[in-house]
Amino acid sequence: MEETSAVSSTGGIAEQKKRELDASFFKKGILVALFSSLMYGFYTAFITAGESSQLWLGWMSAISPTAFLAVFILPTVASAINDSASAIWALGITAKQGKLGDFGRTINTKPGIILIMSALVGGPIATVAYIIALSQAGTIVVPIAALNPAIGSILSRILYKQELGPRKIAGIAICVLAGLMIGSASLAGDSSSNMALGLALAFVAALGWGAEGCIAGYASCMIDTQIGITIRQCVSGVVELFVILPVFALVGGVSLGETYGYVGAAVTDLPTIACFIVSGFSAYKSFASWYRGNSMCGTALGMACNGTYTFVAPLVTWIVVGLIMNIEGYALAPIAWIAAVVMIVGILTIAVDPKELFGKKEAA
């Protein structure tokens, strides 16, 4: 009887230790997902800062703000440099971890090809749309771009026949309400003349990222996180630099020499490239931390924690560009801040089942 009691006691201690480790791992995952939101804020702030350098402002002052060059090509130059810098950061860290061989082998596998396809949607298309939206309307577009969890839920219902229960429908309705609040803020007299275009492109970004989440979900389960992030950033940087930019140049009637001249000038201008190096690293860390956080605390809760960038990104951009660089136009109206918080509530409602969340807390 004493031996049985001792074994039972030992088993109880082991089980308690396991619960403590699980709880610690879960809480760390939440912190990692929140860190991804912070780094997304720095990504948004510093790519905006790069487009606010003296070099960039000089370009913008020499052309009409509604010209194709100003609206589409120059923001795409910024996006291409940022994502190329992000890809270099990812490749360097992958090499440091001794995984470059795995990177090369993974590209030719079925999960690797699926990830490449999802990266084409979420990288070049969504990212370029997001950067153009930022350049045209400012950080008021950030909560609109954060609609991707709602869009992802709708696409999952269409593509995978996943059920949309009352909780997710309520969350989508809350997100739509937040979008309407942001739209009302855009009607202010001091809003950008290209506000409507910015908001529309932010929605395109949300659609692209929502689709990426649906497509990449299968592949990311079978690929090392670091390899997956490296594939994504490399695809995004290469396609933006060598496909999207030439297409825009052709459509806009701008020569390739002039287009890549802007790239060369930005890369060789220290204040400008310094901003893009920081924004590229921040983008890499944001996506990497997002994937890691999702694996630690669950995709749903990780998505909700990452979604706090609807508030963080405008705040960090206001601090970096508005206060430190002393450039006006980055202080949002109170209703936009309120809408960002409402959007977070909507994302949380879509992503997290209260029963599952409380269940995890009880298990902890």
Side-chain angles (χ1 to χ4, degrees):
M1 292 293 292
E2 290 181 1
E3 289 182 2
T4 301
S5 178
V7 171
S8 177
S9 176
T10 302
I13 294 173
E15 185 177 347
Q16 181 181 354
K17 289 290 185 182
K18 183 181 183 302
R19 284 200 300 266
E20 290 175 355
L21 287 173
D22 288 343
S24 176
F25 189 75
F26 178 73
K27 292 175 182 176
K28 186 177 180 181
I30 293 176
L31 293 177
V32 170
L34 289 172
F35 177 71
S36 75
S37 172
L38 177 63
M39 295 309 295
Y40 197 91
F42 278 101
Y43 155 55
T44 298
F46 277 94
I47 201 167
T48 303
E51 293 182 280
S52 302
S53 67
Q54 290 300 314
L55 173 71
W56 215 279
L57 292 178
W59 292 341
M60 296 300 294
S61 64
I63 56 179
S64 169
T66 59
F68 192 90
L69 176 63
V71 176
F72 292 99
I73 294 180
L74 288 181
T76 304
V77 167
S79 182
I81 295 174
N82 172 84
D83 282 11
S84 296
S86 185
I88 293 171
W89 278 111
L91 283 169
I93 293 171
T94 299
K96 184 179 179 181
Q97 295 179 358
K99 296 179 178 179
L100 274 181
D102 294 335
F103 169 73
R105 286 187 292 271
T106 301
I107 290 176
N108 295 320
T109 64
K110 182 179 178 181
I113 293 172
I114 293 174
L115 195 58
I116 289 172
M117 296 302 295
S118 69
L120 287 172
V121 176
I125 296 175
T127 302
V128 169
Y130 178 66
I131 302 305
I132 296 175
L134 279 176
S135 71
Q136 296 304 301
T139 51
I140 197 171
V141 306
V142 173
I144 297 296
L147 279 168
N148 61 87
I151 292 173
S153 295
I154 295 172
L155 289 176
S156 294
R157 176 70 180 90
I158 296 172
L159 297 176
Y160 306 128
K161 308 303 180 184
Q162 293 182 359
E163 183 179 354
L164 276 179
R167 173 176 58 82
K168 289 187 177 181
I169 293 175
I172 292 170
I174 293 172
C175 288
V176 171
L177 173 63
L180 293 175
M181 293 170 66
I182 294 165
S184 69
S186 72
L187 299 177
D190 58 349
S191 63
S192 166
S193 59
N194 288 332
M195 181 68 71
L197 175 63
L199 293 175
L201 288 174
F203 183 77
V204 171
L207 184 63
W209 285 327
E212 179 187 15
C214 289
I215 299 171
Y218 164 74
S220 60
C221 294
M222 296 181 286
I223 295 177
D224 177 85
T225 299
Q226 180 60 32
I227 302 300
I229 291 298
T230 304
I231 291 175
R232 185 196 188 280
Q233 300 307 89
C234 286
V235 168
S236 188
V238 169
V239 173
E240 287 174 27
L241 197 58
F242 298 110
V243 178
I244 305 295
L245 260 182
V247 168
F248 276 171
L250 179 64
V251 173
V254 180
S255 70
L256 284 179
E258 182 181 354
T259 300
Y260 284 108
Y262 288 114
V263 175
V267 169
T268 54
D269 182 68
L270 183 58
T272 304
I273 193 59
C275 290
F276 289 133
I277 289 173
V278 176
S279 68
F281 177 76
S282 300
Y284 158 73
K285 288 298 293 183
S286 177
F287 285 109
S289 299
W290 180 46
Y291 287 133
R292 184 182 173 212
N294 288 354
S295 68
M296 296 174 71
C297 66
T299 300
L301 186 55
M303 183 187 302
C305 292
N306 176 263
T308 57
Y309 77 78
T310 62
F311 182 86
V312 173
L315 176 63
V316 176
T317 303
W318 174 58
I319 293 172
V320 172
V321 183
L323 298 183
I324 297 177
M325 296 180 66
N326 199 29
I327 297 177
E328 296 182 357
Y330 290 92
L332 298 183
I335 191 172
W337 292 112
I338 296 171
V341 175
V342 172
M343 186 72 74
I344 293 172
V345 173
I347 293 170
L348 187 66
T349 303
I350 294 169
V352 182
D353 186 338
K355 294 179 180 179
E356 292 182 2
L357 181 60
F358 294 146
K360 288 180 180 178
K361 286 184 176 179
E362 290 173 2

